[in-house]
Amino acid sequence: MAKEVLSKENIKLNVSLSGKEEAIRYTGSILVDGGYVDEAYIEKMLEREELTSTFMGNSLAIPHGTEDAKKMCLKPEFRS
């Protein structure tokens, strides 16, 4: 059974980060450490942020990579 990306250990609250890039890299490291994506995916997350904001409101952002970054996803459920 695949490990859920929104598991308790992957949810971080009250983390103090210096800005958007650090927040994206921090979030990307959670995905890398969990075995969900290749480390190169983090750069694609930053590239995507240049194209369009991932800000959802209420201090929530869901950074994700560009369309071509799908091949860097290690788990099939993240490629769709």
Side-chain angles (χ1 to χ4, degrees):
M1 180 178 218
K3 182 175 146 186
E4 293 292 324
V5 73
L6 287 177
S7 61
K8 275 188 173 182
E9 66 264 13
N10 289 343
I11 298 171
K12 311 297 181 189
L13 301 174
N14 302 315
V15 175
S16 180
L17 301 166
S18 65
K20 187 185 329 185
E21 182 175 344
E22 185 179 6
I24 291 170
R25 290 187 183 282
Y26 180 80
T27 303
S29 71
I30 293 170
L31 295 173
V32 171
D33 293 345
Y36 303 103
V37 299
D38 187 64
E39 191 168 353
Y41 190 80
I42 296 172
E43 294 305 316
K44 293 298 186 176
M45 291 169 66
L46 292 165
E47 186 180 315
R48 173 65 181 239
E49 189 62 27
E50 290 178 19
L51 298 171
T52 186
S53 176
T54 59
F55 184 66
M56 304 299 291
N58 294 323
S59 301
L60 175 68
I62 304 175
H64 53 284
T66 56
E67 187 67 26
D68 65 329
K70 287 181 180 182
K71 62 183 174 265
M72 296 171 190
C73 293
L74 303 176
K75 306 245 183 218
E77 60 269 25
F78 294 118
R79 291 188 196 131
S80 57

